[in-house]
């Protein structure tokens, strides 16, 4: 005898799973695009502060 159910999940459950995968893929792709388009924050040592010296710190010199 054949059962009327096909597989372990109902059609509604399969549809919900497909939607969940599509939404998760969209979120991941959006996050990847945002990450690629922005540069990391360097805090006070960022590009606009690169030339500023830290008070009391001399340039690095090798130990002789």
């Amino acid at each position: 005898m054949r059962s009327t159910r096909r597989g372990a999940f109902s059609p509604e459950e399969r549809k919900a799973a497909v939607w969940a995968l599509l939404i998760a893929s969209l979120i991941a792709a959006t996050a990847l695009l945002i990450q690629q388009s922005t540069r990391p924050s360097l805090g006070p040592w960022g590009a606009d502060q690169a030339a500023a010296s830290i008070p009391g710190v001399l340039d690095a010199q090798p130990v002789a």
Side-chain angles (χ1 to χ4, degrees), residues 10-44:
S10 69
E12 293 84 16
E13 290 171 330
R14 287 193 292 272
K15 185 177 178 181
V18 168
W19 276 110
L21 285 173
L22 287 174
I23 292 170
S25 299
L26 181 64
I27 291 171
T30 303
L32 185 63
L33 288 174
I34 290 171
Q35 181 183 9
Q36 293 297 324
S37 67
T38 59
R39 58 188 173 126
S41 171
L42 300 177

